[in-house]
Amino acid sequence: MKIDVVNHIFPKVYFDKMVEVLPSGKDMHKRVRAIPCIVDLDERFRIMDMFDEYVQVICLGAPPIEAFGPPPISTEMARIANDGMAELVNKYPERFPGFIASLPMNDPEGLLKEAQRAIKELGAVGVQVFSNVNGRPLDKPETMPLFDLMADFDLPILLHPARGADFPDYKSETKSHYEIWWTFGWPYETSVAMAHLVFAGLFDRHPDIKIITHHLGGMVPYFEGRVGPGWDQLGTRTSDVDYTQLLKSLKKRPYDYFKMFYGDTAVFGSMPATKCGLAFFGVDHVLFGSDSPFDPERGSAYIRWTIEIIERLDITPEERHAIFEGNARRLFKLKS
Amino acid sequence: MKIDVVNHIFPKVYFDKMVEVLPSGKDMHKRVRAIPCIVDLDERFRIMDMFDEYVQVICLGAPPIEAFGPPPISTEMARIANDGMAELVNKYPERFPGFIASLPMNDPEGLLKEAQRAIKELGAVGVQVFSNVNGRPLDKPETMPLFDLMADFDLPILLHPARGADFPDYKSETKSHYEIWWTFGWPYETSVAMAHLVFAGLFDRHPDIKIITHHLGGMVPYFEGRVGPGWDQLGTRTSDVDYTQLLKSLKKRPYDYFKMFYGDTAVFGSMPATKCGLAFFGVDHVLFGSDSPFDPERGSAYIRWTIEIIERLDITPEERHAIFEGNARRLFKLKS
């Protein structure tokens, strides 16, 4: 079986609410006309049926819940989303073996309550967070308790990139053009978020926490030389802060913590990138994820390309099984 | 022979001027104490002698010339730098087969004059530009003529990342911590600059232009899936700009232009990244560059690691020769 752990869907009830709440609600209709299967289940199943023994652990797509507005707006949107997701999983268990909960990350109390409700009452198998909360790093007192909670549950956190509604850099002339914020900005944001979590000491507190980074670890695998020997020299490029103490306060090299993340395979058809990411994280830390349906074929291309690459990788059948299915079952605690 | 085409040096006369001009001049002394060979030639030659048949095409390190101030300050700094570099090459031709000129990128007329002077009078074999000019993209009327000039000379432009003195994002809480601006920000900036040049139609105007991107193409090889199928969908994520016309105005897919760049091998000891980058650019577009001396051994580690990786790559002797020497001789027009 192939368990696609990163793909995006909008439950109908959530989508309707998005259109109602968002100032750019009409854009949402345009988006869905462009990629019907993000809402339309018949179209989704038609695409899924192109692939043998293919199922999806489903999660929402961007925008992040917190982009809808302050609580209680965000809190309510998360409830609607998670109820809608649970309904899909209950109705189509043979298609969707589980769902990833969405959280109102701008509501410090509400996000913990909703995570508990989604997991305990609705059966969510993990939660999704974006790489920043409306521009705020994740390692703040308002959001860090979620990581403690998920470590207690021993369930994964999916780390999805976010443009960040009020990030100043995307308004600058240099970055806003040509959708650079998407092509390079998103993997960059993922990497930035990973660094914040590492240097906050998260992995010393929770060595077994499971954080699945989108797009095979952002920039980390390709720049392991910067993450490794580069960050061993943390502080040599800074004159206003002394990072010596920070390095000493960590139990391991910064590099070693980055290997404790997990990565999904959503690199959109690149075999060299897949090999590079797999070499970095190792087979046990890589999960099949397609990022469907945002591809040139409106849903099928990224799934097909990603499956083809994993099937062509020069690894053992056991290793291939781990990437396609085993790691997902282990991390999300899915029944066989 | 191994021709290291990306490594950094400060000619003594330029270094002394830096200390005098920069508000943070004292930091420069600290930096040189930490890495003596960036100025000290005896120490530099001691390190170079660790490697067989190893020579360096030399260039300055950060900060960019334009960071020193508006013209005529920047213009004068470039002259001092280039005169100092030419002196080194003339005095030690067996060590330094050529130098890369630095330019006052904030002086539209002066930068063209200095490029011509450096190449015609001083024998520079290429020029270095940073990924932005104090925050301005490179595809502006003030700087784009340099690319035309270098295409006429048929000599390379080294594209080095820059933090950008006034980039707003580095002042934000999310990005300024932990030297993220260096680890991930620099390769991100390189990638952003590449995108600006591609979408400005540079490669349609100058199909043979040689732009050598630092750190093996920034993020491009690892994210070729985003650059490729991602950017084939340019415009689908944007509601305020119509990018359809832009795509139509280009002769090729965006992806194809990114393959027209060159990359240096400065990934600091990562074999998987080297393979990934080499697969993307191809052997003829990859040049041996170490980024010495900014490594944990103060100059020798990045050279040694990079040589070891190139020697271990599963490629033919001719291909290895191209990466170590042949491509450099061809692009920089060095005598054998």
Side-chain angles (χ1 to χ4, degrees):
Chain A
M1 182 166 285
K2 299 172 188 75
I3 306 176
D4 186 345
V5 303
V6 182
N7 59 83
H8 301 293
I9 196 169
F10 294 139
K12 184 71 170 58
V13 55
Y14 174 79
F15 175 74
D16 290 343
K17 194 75 188 173
M18 273 172 84
V19 173
E20 184 191 318
V21 169
L22 279 183
S24 58
K26 283 173 198 163
D27 285 348
M28 280 294 144
H29 274 300
K30 187 179 148 197
R31 189 169 169 188
V32 166
R33 271 197 303 276
I35 308 177
C37 80
I38 197 157
V39 174
D40 183 328
L41 287 176
D42 290 337
E43 174 62 7
R44 193 173 192 92
F45 295 159
R46 189 186 68 78
I47 290 170
M48 291 178 72
D49 285 339
M50 294 178 188
F51 307 99
D52 285 341
E53 296 199 77
Y54 170 82
V55 300
Q56 297 182 329
V57 172
I58 49 178
C59 64
L60 291 189
I65 291 286
E66 54 272 19
F68 289 102
I73 299 171
S74 56
T75 323
E76 180 60 15
M77 285 302 287
R79 285 187 71 90
I80 294 170
N82 294 331
D83 287 346
M85 297 293 253
E87 196 183 331
L88 286 173
V89 168
N90 287 333
K91 200 164 174 188
Y92 306 102
E94 76 289 358
R95 298 282 188 181
F96 308 131
F99 79 94
I100 308 294
S102 293
L103 301 174
M105 294 294 282
N106 56 353
D107 177 1
E109 285 182 32
L111 76 91
L112 296 176
K113 281 187 196 159
E114 183 60 17
Q116 287 175 312
R117 186 186 79 94
I119 292 167
K120 288 185 183 171
E121 296 178 26
L122 304 179
V125 296
V127 300
Q128 178 171 242
V129 303
F130 286 76
S131 50
N132 62 79
V133 181
N134 291 332
R136 292 267 291 171
L138 288 166
D139 62 348
K140 297 290 161 190
E142 310 96 80
T143 44
M144 210 57 173
L146 174 67
F147 291 84
D148 302 326
L149 181 71
M150 294 308 293
D152 285 347
F153 276 124
D154 189 28
L155 283 174
I157 297 165
L158 263 65
L159 180 58
H160 192 287
R163 183 174 179 168
D166 57 1
F167 264 14
D169 52 333
Y170 295 114
K171 288 180 191 146
S172 83
E173 189 178 25
T174 323
K175 315 298 175 58
S176 62
H177 284 171
Y178 316 126
E179 299 174 359
I180 290 172
W181 63 265
W182 179 86
T183 314
F184 300 129
W186 269 15
Y188 169 70
E189 296 298 342
T190 305
S191 318
V192 169
M194 291 166 77
H196 276 269
L197 295 174
V198 162
F199 289 114
L202 178 67
F203 290 97
D204 281 339
R205 259 199 333 283
H206 302 297
D208 294 320
I209 196 165
K210 275 98 183 171
I211 302 176
I212 303 174
T213 58
H214 205 11
H215 309 302
L216 208 39
M219 301 166 65
V220 171
Y222 196 64
F223 294 106
E224 64 166 334
R226 302 179 81 77
V227 171
W231 254 326
D232 289 337
Q233 304 175 74
L234 177 59
T236 57
R237 301 167 203 93
T238 320
S239 49
D240 54 339
V241 189
D242 181 8
Y243 281 120
T244 326
Q245 285 310 311
L246 174 63
L247 279 188
K248 279 184 194 159
S249 74
L250 296 171
K251 292 181 187 168
K252 306 183 184 190
R253 284 179 74 193
Y255 180 76
D256 295 333
Y257 295 110
F258 285 89
K259 295 221 173 210
M260 297 167 79
F261 287 96
Y262 295 73
D264 69 49
T265 57
V267 290
F268 307 166
S270 174
M271 175 60 93
T274 305
K275 285 183 181 172
C276 180
L278 193 56
F280 182 80
F281 288 113
V283 164
D284 290 341
H285 277 235
V286 172
L287 293 91
F288 169 48
S290 69
D291 205 21
S292 176
F294 303 115
D295 59 61
E297 296 174 6
R298 307 174 175 201
S300 52
Y302 287 166
I303 300 173
R304 190 176 67 254
W305 298 346
T306 308
I307 289 176
E308 281 173 3
I309 281 176
I310 297 170
E311 289 186 334
R312 279 170 47 218
L313 279 172
D314 184 23
I315 53 177
T316 66
E318 290 73 25
E319 289 172 331
R320 206 179 320 278
H321 178 267
I323 294 171
F324 270 136
E325 178 180 354
N327 294 340
R329 289 205 187 282
R330 188 177 85 246
L331 266 66
F332 296 108
K333 303 182 180 177
L334 304 176
K335 295 179 193 80
S336 302
Chain B
M1 183 166 285
K2 299 172 188 74
I3 306 177
D4 186 344
V5 304
V6 183
N7 59 83
H8 300 293
I9 195 169
F10 294 139
K12 184 70 169 60
V13 54
Y14 173 79
F15 175 74
D16 290 342
K17 193 74 188 174
M18 274 171 83
V19 174
E20 185 190 319
V21 170
L22 280 182
S24 58
K26 282 172 199 162
D27 284 349
M28 280 295 143
H29 273 300
K30 187 179 149 198
R31 188 169 170 187
V32 165
R33 272 197 302 276
I35 309 177
C37 81
I38 197 159
V39 174
D40 184 326
L41 288 175
D42 289 338
E43 174 62 7
R44 193 171 192 93
F45 295 159
R46 189 186 69 78
I47 290 170
M48 291 177 73
D49 285 340
M50 295 178 187
F51 308 99
D52 285 340
E53 297 198 76
Y54 170 82
V55 299
Q56 296 182 330
V57 171
I58 48 177
C59 63
L60 292 190
I65 290 286
E66 54 271 19
F68 289 102
I73 300 172
S74 55
T75 324
E76 180 60 15
M77 285 303 287
R79 286 186 70 90
I80 293 170
N82 294 331
D83 287 346
M85 296 294 252
E87 195 183 332
L88 286 172
V89 169
N90 287 332
K91 199 165 173 188
Y92 306 102
E94 77 290 357
R95 297 282 188 181
F96 308 131
F99 79 94
I100 308 293
S102 293
L103 301 173
M105 294 295 283
N106 56 351
D107 177 0
E109 285 182 31
L111 76 91
L112 296 176
K113 280 187 195 159
E114 183 60 17
Q116 288 176 311
R117 186 185 80 93
I119 292 168
K120 287 185 183 171
E121 295 178 25
L122 303 180
V125 297
V127 300
Q128 178 171 241
V129 302
F130 286 76
S131 51
N132 63 78
V133 181
N134 291 332
R136 292 267 291 171
L138 288 167
D139 63 348
K140 295 291 161 189
E142 310 95 80
T143 44
M144 210 56 173
L146 174 68
F147 291 84
D148 301 326
L149 181 72
M150 295 308 292
D152 286 345
F153 275 124
D154 190 29
L155 283 174
I157 297 165
L158 263 65
L159 180 57
H160 192 287
R163 181 174 179 171
D166 56 2
F167 264 14
D169 52 334
Y170 294 114
K171 288 180 193 147
S172 83
E173 189 178 25
T174 323
K175 315 298 176 58
S176 62
H177 284 170
Y178 316 125
E179 299 175 358
I180 290 173
W181 62 265
W182 179 86
T183 314
F184 300 129
W186 269 16
Y188 170 69
E189 296 298 342
T190 306
S191 318
V192 169
M194 292 167 76
H196 276 269
L197 295 174
V198 162
F199 289 115
L202 178 67
F203 290 98
D204 281 339
R205 255 194 344 277
H206 301 297
D208 293 321
I209 197 166
K210 274 97 183 171
I211 302 177
I212 303 173
T213 58
H214 205 12
H215 309 302
L216 209 39
M219 302 166 65
V220 171
Y222 196 64
F223 294 106
E224 64 166 334
R226 302 179 81 76
V227 170
W231 253 326
D232 290 337
Q233 304 175 76
L234 177 60
T236 58
R237 302 168 203 94
T238 320
S239 49
D240 54 339
V241 188
D242 181 8
Y243 281 120
T244 326
Q245 286 309 312
L246 174 63
L247 279 187
K248 280 184 192 158
S249 74
L250 296 171
K251 292 181 188 169
K252 306 183 183 187
R253 285 178 74 193
Y255 180 76
D256 295 333
Y257 296 109
F258 285 90
K259 294 221 173 209
M260 296 167 80
F261 287 96
Y262 295 73
D264 69 49
T265 57
V267 290
F268 308 167
S270 173
M271 175 60 93
T274 305
K275 284 182 180 174
C276 181
L278 194 56
F280 182 80
F281 288 114
V283 165
D284 290 342
H285 278 234
V286 173
L287 294 90
F288 168 49
S290 68
D291 206 19
S292 175
F294 303 115
D295 60 62
E297 296 174 7
R298 305 175 177 202
S300 52
Y302 287 165
I303 301 173
R304 190 176 69 254
W305 297 347
T306 309
I307 289 176
E308 280 173 2
I309 282 177
I310 298 171
E311 288 185 336
R312 279 171 47 217
L313 280 172
D314 185 23
I315 52 178
T316 67
E318 291 73 24
E319 289 172 331
R320 206 178 323 277
H321 177 267
I323 294 171
F324 269 136
E325 177 180 354
N327 294 340
R329 288 205 187 282
R330 189 178 84 245
L331 266 65
F332 295 108
K333 303 183 180 177
L334 304 176
K335 295 179 194 80
S336 301

